[in-house]
Amino acid sequence: MAKLFSTKLTHVSPVWYDLKSDGDKLVLEGQHNYDAGWVSELQGGVSLVVPRVVLEAFPGVLLLKKKSRNKAIDLIVSECRDKGYDGVVLESWSRWAAYGVLDDPELRHLALQFVKKLGDTLHSTRLKSSTRNHLEFIYVIPAPRMQGLNKQDFGPEDLVQLADSVDGFSLMTYDFSGPQNPGPSAPLKWIRQSLTTLLPAKDSASHMIFLGINFYGNDFVLSKGGGSAITGRDFIHLLEKYKPSLQWDEKSSEHFFIYSDEGARHAVFYPTAMSLSVRLDEAREWGTGLSIWEIGQGLDYFFDIL
């Protein structure tokens, strides 16, 4: 799908890497995933290849020691040089939230400084084989859950602090619901609320936001609890098997349907042309880009809408 629709994708981010702790050392796992032919083919078009790196290293190892911070940055930048990537996408905020880093003012400051330094280092790195000015850096940020920000939320002040060191922010406006609270994946009201919180004045930073759009859906088991994510193939299979009627939820601007299997009632939420169009209109109104999770999970016609 990346090759077929490469003219519509400015960046492609294969989910290949994890930066982990190994005792007191740091290791970058995922080099074996590298596909030289695929990367070369994409870079021959208009798409930049910016693999995702998930920062799973223990904060005590990574953030509290300057030597470790420098080592982590060197591992990431060296991999870009070695493989000829156009930059990276870094995901760390949710991990830091889980470790309690964002509740501690000193650790939170160190975390933000680490992101800034990584971005500055990528921006100052020149590749002999590249015509680009610098390596690009996109940072993944969670969407605020409430209008009132808590310590673990990424807020407008954080965005301003990182703006000079980051080329874009991938805003995860999906996964609003889960098995314990079944419902829409990305209610439109929540998307607007997230953008309003991060960009109070719709200022010039809106162009730095890649608004998250889900190409996956969810099949929730209503009567028993539970459920799981589904892809386009699963969605088509359920439609063919149960022949349900699609219903439009005005509040969330998403389609869903109900079916029963072995006495259990299910609710399925999955993107449609209408729900995607509404979200694309919202992105246009705000002047943001789009961040799709993920292009292999959708239906082919989704790309016609982009």
Side-chain angles (χ1 to χ4, degrees):
M1 302 307 281
K3 290 190 288 186
L4 189 60
F5 295 103
S6 62
T7 57
K8 297 192 176 191
L9 306 171
T10 57
H11 303 72
V12 176
S13 182
V15 289
W16 285 346
Y17 293 97
D18 299 284
L19 200 152
K20 295 183 176 181
S21 300
D22 183 9
D24 289 334
K25 296 180 180 179
L26 295 171
V27 293
L28 184 65
E29 295 185 354
Q31 285 96 331
H32 65 281
N33 290 317
Y34 173 64
D35 184 334
W38 182 80
V39 169
S40 178
E41 197 168 344
L42 281 176
Q43 290 177 327
V46 299
S47 299
L48 303 181
V49 178
V50 287
R52 185 189 69 169
V53 177
V54 178
L55 203 60
E56 295 188 349
F58 298 130
V61 172
L62 176 68
L63 296 177
L64 293 175
K65 300 177 182 177
K66 183 178 180 181
K67 186 177 179 180
S68 294
R69 296 195 298 271
N70 292 338
K71 177 62 176 176
I73 291 170
D74 182 61
L75 284 170
I76 293 170
V77 175
S78 294
E79 187 68 6
C80 285
R81 281 204 199 96
D82 293 345
K83 302 296 194 298
Y85 296 135
D86 299 296
V88 295
V89 173
L90 181 72
E91 184 170 338
S92 66
W93 199 265
S94 59
R95 268 64 179 179
W96 285 337
Y99 279 119
V101 167
L102 305 174
D103 296 318
D104 183 305
E106 181 184 353
L107 283 176
R108 199 179 199 280
H109 173 74
L110 287 173
L112 286 165
Q113 289 305 306
F114 172 80
V115 175
K116 280 182 66 68
K117 186 171 183 182
L118 174 58
D120 292 341
T121 304
L122 287 164
H123 287 169
S124 64
T125 301
R126 302 288 188 271
L127 297 182
K128 294 178 182 178
S129 59
S130 176
T131 57
R132 300 195 59 76
N133 293 329
H134 62 253
L135 292 173
E136 294 212 358
F137 181 39
I138 296 171
Y139 190 57
V140 179
I141 56 175
R145 303 296 295 189
M146 305 286 187
Q147 282 185 310
L149 294 172
N150 61 43
K151 291 180 181 178
Q152 295 189 344
D153 284 328
F154 186 94
E157 292 181 2
D158 301 312
L159 190 150
V160 170
Q161 188 171 342
L162 297 181
D164 291 339
S165 305
V166 174
D167 295 290
F169 296 92
S170 179
L171 178 62
M172 296 191 292
T173 38
Y174 38 72
D175 283 345
F176 181 81
S177 303
Q180 304 309 315
N181 61 323
S185 302
L188 187 61
K189 183 179 178 181
W190 175 56
I191 291 175
R192 287 175 178 159
Q193 176 184 300
S194 299
L195 289 169
T196 301
T197 301
L198 282 172
L199 306 167
K202 281 193 182 181
D203 59 16
S204 58
S206 60
H207 72 280
M208 298 186 68
I209 299 292
F210 292 94
L211 183 67
I213 301 287
N214 56 291
F215 270 17
Y216 67 90
N218 285 294
D219 182 350
F220 297 116
V221 186
L222 298 178
S223 48
K224 301 178 182 177
S228 60
I230 60 169
T231 65
R233 187 179 302 136
D234 303 321
F235 179 65
I236 296 299
H237 171 72
L238 291 171
L239 289 177
E240 291 175 340
K241 183 175 181 180
Y242 296 101
K243 296 179 171 53
S245 297
L246 280 174
Q247 302 177 56
W248 179 253
D249 178 22
E250 288 287 350
K251 287 187 176 180
S252 66
S253 292
E254 290 190 30
H255 274 109
F256 72 98
F257 65 79
I258 304 292
Y259 76 94
S260 295
D261 180 64
E262 296 182 356
R265 293 181 76 241
H266 292 240
V268 172
F269 288 81
Y270 191 80
T272 58
M274 189 168 177
S275 69
L276 289 173
S277 295
V278 169
R279 282 151 183 78
L280 294 184
D281 288 342
E282 195 69 23
R284 285 192 198 95
E285 183 179 333
W286 282 85
T288 71
L290 299 174
S291 175
I292 299 166
W293 184 274
E294 50 140 297
I295 59 174
Q297 296 176 338
L299 297 171
D300 290 0
Y301 82 85
F302 287 179
F303 291 91
D304 296 334
I305 305 170
L306 297 179

